[in-house]
Amino acid sequence: MRAAAGTVKKVALELGGKNPNIVFADADPDAAVDFALTAAFLHSGQVCSAGSRLLLHRSLHAGFTAELARRADLIRLGNGLAKGTETGPLVSAEHRAKVERLLEGALAEGAVVRAGGGRPTDPELQSGFFLRPTVLDGCRADMTVVREEVFGPVLTVELFDEENEAVALANDTPYGLAGAVWTQDTGRGERVAARLRLGTVWINDYHPYVPQAEWGGFKQSGTGRELGPSGLREYQETKHIWRTVTPAAQHWFAG
């Protein structure tokens, strides 16, 4: 945006995210756990819309996090071309080191590791920049790992007791790209989705993208849109043409 300002270029920027995945007490537990894994660990979390913040109703905490951690530990790391691989490495040694520093900071701030938390020990994975899918419990909204985009296989778990608290936690971020709401209450799903300051909200789903639907974020997640009618308009300029059919002198000036 700064580079384009000198010549007043129009820009559309799809930037980062710190995306909340809200699970209410009445959500389908099997589906919610399954999609929480996909939301956080697809492509080892190297997705701008990754559901890296799990906001979980307190009544679900013990059972949900236990199953989430169990399944996270079973995710198969490996070469993306190898049969059976479910997720791959991080993009570079530098990026893995950054993610590891954020993990160290999270533990220092009081987070608890429920799954992962370090590099795999498999000899076949030592030549890649692998990091095990990590579930961090006991997280708070003021933690660095909750506020900064990790862009790695790290899922933080925060708890809430009621709807307004869930919405406040979800919106308490400088980002606003995407997120999800899990509930069997249709009214609640639509109500919460409307209150979230996010460019895309999925209800009982995570990560579907279609070319007909606009994509982009609020706040520091960007400006403008890709895809959909709004995405097409980013490449267009509006022109106003006025034609007077029967022109006549106005005599604005007396002379």
Side-chain angles (χ1 to χ4, degrees):
M1 183 180 287
R2 184 179 296 112
T7 51
V8 201
K9 293 288 190 299
K10 183 179 180 181
V11 296
L13 304 173
E14 191 269 278
L15 303 174
K18 193 65 182 176
N19 311 289
N21 187 18
I22 306 171
V23 181
F24 283 95
D26 65 340
D28 180 313
D30 293 334
V33 168
D34 189 70
F35 275 85
L37 290 164
T38 303
F41 301 130
L42 186 70
H43 304 313
S44 286
Q46 296 168 116
V47 182
C48 56
S49 56
S52 56
R53 293 179 65 203
L54 179 64
L55 305 184
L56 191 62
H57 191 273
R58 193 176 302 275
S59 65
L60 302 176
H61 181 216
F64 198 102
T65 53
E67 180 63 8
L68 192 68
R70 183 189 71 81
R71 292 188 58 182
D73 277 335
L74 295 176
I75 293 174
R76 295 190 295 273
L77 302 176
N79 187 316
L81 300 178
K83 186 177 180 180
T85 292
E86 293 179 324
T87 195
L90 296 181
V91 70
S92 67
E94 292 80 10
H95 184 53
R96 181 173 63 177
K98 173 193 170 185
V99 176
E100 289 174 328
R101 287 193 297 272
L102 285 166
L103 286 176
E104 291 171 4
L107 298 183
E109 290 184 281
V112 178
V113 174
R114 298 298 184 197
R119 302 180 185 186
T121 58
D122 188 335
E124 295 183 3
L125 301 179
Q126 299 311 302
S127 61
F129 310 123
F130 290 96
L131 197 65
R132 292 173 59 203
T134 299
V135 177
L136 294 179
D137 200 3
C139 295
R140 306 181 310 274
D142 62 341
M143 288 180 169
T144 301
V145 74
V146 173
R147 303 204 65 78
E148 293 189 8
E149 185 178 28
V150 177
F151 216 69
V154 178
L155 176 62
T156 62
V157 180
E158 301 168 72
L159 303 181
F160 68 88
D161 292 298
E162 49 88 26
E163 183 178 310
N164 287 335
E165 183 184 8
V167 172
L169 284 171
N171 286 333
D172 185 17
T173 170
Y175 297 103
L177 186 57
V181 181
W182 288 84
T183 178
Q184 296 186 61
D185 183 332
T186 301
R188 173 190 282 154
E190 294 179 353
R191 186 170 62 246
V192 172
R195 296 176 64 192
L196 296 178
R197 293 286 297 154
L198 306 171
T200 292
V201 180
W202 298 293
I203 300 176
N204 295 331
D205 209 329
Y206 209 102
H207 276 324
Y209 309 97
V210 293
Q212 303 95 317
E214 288 84 353
W215 180 255
F218 296 174
K219 300 186 279 188
Q220 291 185 29
S221 286
T223 180
R225 291 294 182 267
E226 300 175 77
L227 308 179
S230 298
L232 179 61
R233 284 194 289 271
E234 295 291 345
Y235 295 89
Q236 300 173 327
E237 290 187 294
T238 301
K239 178 186 288 186
H240 173 206
I241 298 175
W242 174 300
R243 183 174 72 169
T244 298
V245 178
T246 55
Q250 291 184 312
H251 298 294
W252 183 276
F253 297 106

